[in-house]
Amino acid sequence: MVVGASEATMKSLLSKLGGLLAHEYALIRGVRGDIQYINDEMASMQAFLGDLSSAAPQGHDRRMRDWMKQIRDVTYDIEDCVDDFAHRLSHDPAAGRDVWCVFLSSTAYEIWTWRPRRSIASSIAELKVRAQQIGERRTRYGVENPRTLEGESGGALPKFETAEYQHTTLALVGTKKPVGVEEEMKELGRWLTLQQPSAHDASSSSDPASQTEALKQDQAVLSIVGFGGVGKTTIATALYQEYSDQFDRRATVTVSQSSDIDMILLTILSQVKPQSKDDNEQQGSSGGGPSDKKCLMATIGIVWGTIMHKGRKDDKQRGGGTSQTTKDLKQHLEEHLVKNSYLLLVDDVWSAPMWKKIKNLLPKSNKGSRIIVTTRFQAVANECRRDKGDHIHKVVVLSDNKPKELFMAESGISVDKPKENQEKIPARLWEMCGGLPLAIVTMAGYAACNPDKLVDKWDEVCSTLVPDSGKALGQDGVTRILSHCYNDMPGEIKTCSLYLCIFPKGRKVSRKRLTRRWLAERFVSEKDGLSAEDVAEAYFNHLVRRKIIRAVEHSSNGKVKSYQVHDMVLEYIVSKASEENFVTVVGGHWLMAPPSNKVRRLSLQVSDTKHKKSMESMNLTHVRSLTMFGSLTQLPSNSLKFGIVQVLDLEGCKDFRQHHAEEICKMLLLKHLSLRRTDIDKIPKKIGKLQYLETLDIRETNVTELPNTICLLERVENILGGNKRTRKALKLPEDLKKETMKSLRILSGIEIVEGPGTVADFHHLTDLRKLTIYRLNLEKGSELFGELSSSIEYLGGYSLHTLVIDDESSEFLISLGALSSPPKFLNALELSGKLVELPKWITELDALTKLTLSVTVLTADALHVLSKLNTLFSLTFSLTAAKQDPETIFIIEENKRRSDGQIMVPTGGFENLKLLRFLAPFVPLLSFPKNSLPKLERLELRFSMFEGLYGLENLAELEEVHLRVHDKADETTKSFVEGDRQY
């Protein structure tokens, strides 16, 4: 049984009890003593749980686990009672009043609130009795004090050093090939690229020539089969990443046990549709795409609505037929796939009938198609091989020296010092994994987080996990390894890892989305002199090193942008969260029994109406965290009326209506609200009632302004708005001028435009770490112009770390160059507009790792200045298609002339630059001499017109070159791209 979740809840509760004791006005006589008793009892229980978390989990017998369960349940119930108290008695009658009025107002308040206070007092008395009984029960049944089992397997948990994980090496995620399967990848690559397979790896056809011809004409399926953890998805994903650019359309979808055919088709359709015009413009293209883009997006919306609202009343699939919705989806897929070659990755298919259903609904392409299917079952693989071109690849465990190679690569231990490694890490550590990649990777993460463990301790671990080393490692053995590595983590990080099951299987999840949720749930607090945000980042980095999560995408600043969890690891976490009643998952990819206890955190991963009735029978009155994926029509009718909900995440949900916004404003205890990518278009004035709100995320919505009442929210720390792609921005409320919202740390996606009611003075926001202005248009010399300039200079001396400004006139950007005191603590800076000169102080930014500038400033002289920024990790020159005008083109041409017709990258300098990007319609001739950009790993170019690229062979560390050209580019540009691809 896990201790971490209970301990985290206890910390949150003790904080709330302390606050409750301070509210003299709200306590009925005699209740104060009960609350004080509960507070003291919970503090003792917290210390006990802390000792449990530092003891080896093997020391928890059944009595101990049952007693821990009782502590957890009463802790949850006490916290619910305290939250209900805050919800029903939410204000102090004496606040803001003079002494003369205090007596009268307090008396009236006591009479008015007598009934709810009496109800709460009764609940507190009952909870006090329960807490007493739990303490007595421990003595009565002989639950002993926890022991740190020194000398036994595992020993005490390692001490977590926060500072060690605070700063990790900035890196880029490339298309890395799986370790140990190089030959298999070559053979499968030949199959994907229509090359003739080798003789020993031929499929069902005996004639290689006829087989190759069949591959060129028909739909061909590659099924990758093997048991869980053997590396099927890793191989399939690597193939998909390496060869997807050779197909006109591509998509990935996860199927698993519990899947809906319409949602599978809709997921594919959303990926194979042409790009929107906004995407093309942001990437520097000179025009839009096909004329049916908007029609397609509308069609997807209509199809989604049909799926959700019809409730499958006309669904004849149960009787062997096909619903109208499915037919519509099939028709839309045909429109976009029949005339295009396409590559699909269908991951984790569990049944042959499901695959047959998917196969029959996928159109045949006139230009050929490839489908990669992963499955654990041979019957599914056999069903996939029905035509001449189909092929089955059975994944086997690693052998020879490959397990060691994988272990060393994943643990980060240098292979250059084999003797030293042998002394620290015995070979038995990877040998016991039986060649199973998941087990090897998990143990590598375990070793990476325990670098000081002695060899004899490692031997004890191996003997405990795999007693019979001669026997092949099965699913039970993998689960034992996962359990051991999980239990080795500190309690607070176990709690954070349990939260991973909130998100569906196979989904890429944003790092920031996860860590902000941790902060809202109070799983993370200040520690070792670090802020709560820094501690959350350290915990995330620890989970990456542990191999609990896998980074799949990095931001241009070198930090992890998104991650995924292996399905077997996630399945284990789901089971642990269910044990602790920590998270209840409805729908999703696993068939789970409905919860028998009160639901505390609810993740709705449903795609149809079949789970709605089961939710109606659940006890949802205690839900404090609600996460939804899909459509809001799947919510039970009263789901948005729970008074104690503190975290509400509806990111990407469809069918959001204005009445939902009104109901959300009644959740008075809400701390975290995410409506990102929903259909909301207006924030109600009643949002001012959410006095506990800390994060408001309305990015990529139709909300363009905030009401003045939002300035009443004194605790709000993060306001995230606007649209990064389209630069649609958020207008700030005029009342922000009144020095309100002083706790703000992130203010993102705003507009500052000359006019009445515009806010440009941010001097009072001294905690602000990130300021992102998507639209700026101020008159030079105006009052607003001076206020903003002064604010940036002032905040630059405090905590401002990220500054983004998109200036329409560029007058403000020019004025920034004259700041007397530059923002020296910036680690990310983006200046967009017709910038022609660098700010004079830019070389003084010693902490800068990410820099984005307009391509109008690109000259050889500018690169020479920027080369002195030794900490710079990524450098981007960009220009959106929307900003192409004669003046801009003239500036670019003038820069070329001043640079003798080409942009020569200077030799020396740029000591840590790993990413260089040019994202603009026009990219001039680029030249890389010897000894330039010594650490550059990736070069990205997106353009409509490009004059040339020389000296790539001089970039010693270059691993990837990404070229993207618009369809309407001239033939010379297109031929250059094709030639470079062949090179």
Side-chain angles (χ1 to χ4, degrees), residues 180-354:
V181 291
E182 292 78 10
E183 290 302 319
E184 292 91 333
M185 288 288 293
K186 287 181 182 178
E187 295 294 342
L188 298 176
R190 292 192 187 101
W191 179 86
L192 279 176
T193 55
L194 309 181
Q195 297 180 31
Q196 185 170 314
S198 62
H200 69 83
D201 196 34
S203 65
S204 56
S205 173
S206 58
D207 183 2
S210 63
Q211 180 185 23
T212 303
E213 183 61 29
L215 287 174
K216 290 180 181 179
Q217 299 297 327
D218 297 330
Q219 183 185 74
V221 181
L222 167 65
S223 54
I224 301 177
V225 62
F227 53 89
V230 79
K232 304 181 299 297
T233 302
T234 302
I235 294 173
T237 302
L239 287 169
Y240 180 85
Q241 289 177 340
E242 186 168 352
Y243 297 102
S244 61
D245 63 343
Q246 300 185 23
F247 295 82
D248 299 328
R249 299 287 184 266
R250 61 204 68 88
T252 65
V253 63
T254 300
V255 180
S256 292
Q257 287 172 273
S258 174
S259 288
D260 175 80
I261 186 63
D262 290 341
M263 285 304 302
I264 292 172
L265 298 180
L266 186 64
T267 301
I268 295 172
L269 180 61
S270 66
Q271 296 175 70
V272 300
K273 70 182 189 298
Q275 282 191 314
S276 70
K277 183 176 179 181
D278 293 329
D279 285 335
N280 285 327
E281 287 186 350
Q282 185 61 25
Q283 290 160 354
S285 300
S286 60
S291 59
D292 63 342
K293 289 172 184 173
K294 292 184 179 178
C295 294
L296 178 62
M297 293 304 295
T299 301
I300 290 177
I302 292 170
V303 171
W304 180 283
T306 303
I307 293 172
M308 296 306 169
H309 290 299
K310 288 173 68 175
R312 307 296 180 97
K313 290 181 180 179
D314 62 339
D315 193 345
K316 300 177 183 178
Q317 288 181 338
R318 297 182 181 89
T322 303
S323 72
Q324 185 60 44
T325 299
T326 308
K327 292 178 181 178
D328 292 341
L329 285 167
K330 180 181 179 182
Q331 179 182 345
H332 292 308
L333 283 173
E334 288 174 350
E335 292 173 4
H336 300 286
L337 295 181
V338 168
K339 296 180 181 180
N340 294 293
S341 63
Y342 66 86
L343 174 65
L344 298 183
L345 170 53
V346 185
D347 189 32
D348 203 19
V349 180
W350 276 65
S351 72
M354 173 56 76

Side-chain angles (χ1 to χ4, degrees), residues 13-31:
L13 172 60
L14 290 174
S15 173
K16 292 178 181 179
L17 287 173
L20 186 58
L21 287 170
H23 287 178
E24 293 274 1
Y25 70 92
L27 299 181
I28 291 179
R29 194 173 303 164
V31 174

Side-chain angles (χ1 to χ4, degrees), residues 531-584:
S531 67
E533 290 85 352
D534 291 336
V535 174
E537 188 164 336
Y539 287 178
F540 182 88
N541 293 335
H542 181 85
L543 290 175
V544 172
R545 187 181 295 187
R546 279 268 178 187
K547 308 303 176 184
I548 299 295
I549 59 181
R550 178 174 62 91
V552 293
E553 187 180 8
H554 278 76
S555 297
S556 55
N557 62 4
K559 294 184 178 181
V560 177
K561 182 177 183 179
S562 59
Y563 71 89
Q564 282 182 322
V565 185
H566 190 281
D567 57 350
M568 287 190 67
V569 176
L570 187 58
E571 187 172 3
Y572 175 82
I573 290 174
V574 168
S575 69
K576 300 303 287 185
S578 179
E579 278 183 27
E580 279 266 318
N581 192 28
F582 186 74
V583 174
T584 300

Side-chain angles (χ1 to χ4, degrees), residues 437-658:
L438 176 61
I440 295 170
V441 168
T442 304
M443 288 306 297
Y446 179 35
C449 294
N450 291 272
D452 300 324
K453 194 181 284 287
L454 301 176
V455 175
D456 58 337
K457 292 293 184 183
W458 283 123
D459 288 336
E460 292 177 14
V461 170
C462 296
S463 299
T464 303
L465 294 177
V466 187
D468 187 359
S469 57
K471 189 178 178 182
L473 191 70
Q475 295 293 119
D476 291 344
V478 176
T479 303
R480 282 198 305 273
I481 289 176
L482 288 173
S483 179
H484 182 87
C485 295
Y486 175 84
N487 286 319
D488 180 67
M489 293 191 294
E492 61 269 28
I493 301 184
K494 286 180 187 175
T495 304
C496 293
S497 68
L498 287 180
Y499 215 68
L500 298 174
C501 69
I502 288 280
F503 304 100
K505 173 186 171 182
R507 176 169 297 223
K508 290 182 182 179
V509 182
S510 161
R511 168 183 61 89
K512 291 182 180 179
R513 185 181 184 185
L514 177 68
T515 55
R516 285 185 184 128
R517 296 279 300 264
W518 287 348
L519 292 166
E521 294 268 13
R522 297 299 186 266
F523 297 156
V524 181
S525 56
E526 296 180 2
K527 185 177 182 180
D528 300 334
L530 299 175
S531 67
E533 290 85 352
D534 291 336
V535 174
E537 188 164 336
Y539 287 178
F540 182 88
N541 293 335
H542 181 85
L543 290 175
V544 172
R545 187 181 295 187
R546 279 268 178 187
K547 308 303 176 184
I548 299 295
I549 59 181
R550 178 174 62 91
V552 293
E553 187 180 8
H554 278 76
S555 297
S556 55
N557 62 4
K559 294 184 178 181
V560 177
K561 182 177 183 179
S562 59
Y563 71 89
Q564 282 182 322
V565 185
H566 190 281
D567 57 350
M568 287 190 67
V569 176
L570 187 58
E571 187 172 3
Y572 175 82
I573 290 174
V574 168
S575 69
K576 300 303 287 185
S578 179
E579 278 183 27
E580 279 266 318
N581 192 28
F582 186 74
V583 174
T584 300
V585 178
V586 177
H589 293 282
W590 288 283
L591 303 175
M592 298 180 64
S596 56
N597 299 319
K598 301 170 185 175
V599 177
R600 308 291 179 175
R601 295 177 184 88
L602 181 62
S603 176
L604 299 180
Q605 303 174 12
V606 296
S607 58
D608 50 42
T609 57
K610 64 183 179 181
H611 294 285
K612 192 170 182 179
K613 289 184 179 179
S614 65
M615 284 189 289
E616 296 285 359
S617 62
M618 294 182 187
N619 183 356
L620 302 179
T621 57
H622 296 267
V623 171
R624 59 183 56 252
S625 170
L626 175 60
T627 308
M628 180 74 196
F629 303 91
S631 170
L632 287 174
T633 59
Q634 301 308 302
L635 282 172
S637 56
N638 60 342
S639 296
L640 294 181
K641 298 179 181 178
F642 303 144
I644 64 171
V645 172
Q646 298 176 22
V647 174
L648 181 62
D649 191 340
L650 304 179
E651 180 175 327
C653 285
K654 305 295 180 183
D655 301 307
F656 189 96
R657 301 290 181 262
Q658 195 60 32

Side-chain angles (χ1 to χ4, degrees), residues 345-364:
L345 170 53
V346 185
D347 189 32
D348 203 19
V349 180
W350 276 65
S351 72
M354 173 56 76
W355 164 246
K356 193 173 181 180
K357 194 182 297 182
I358 295 172
K359 174 75 179 294
N360 291 336
L361 291 169
L362 291 175
K364 289 190 176 182

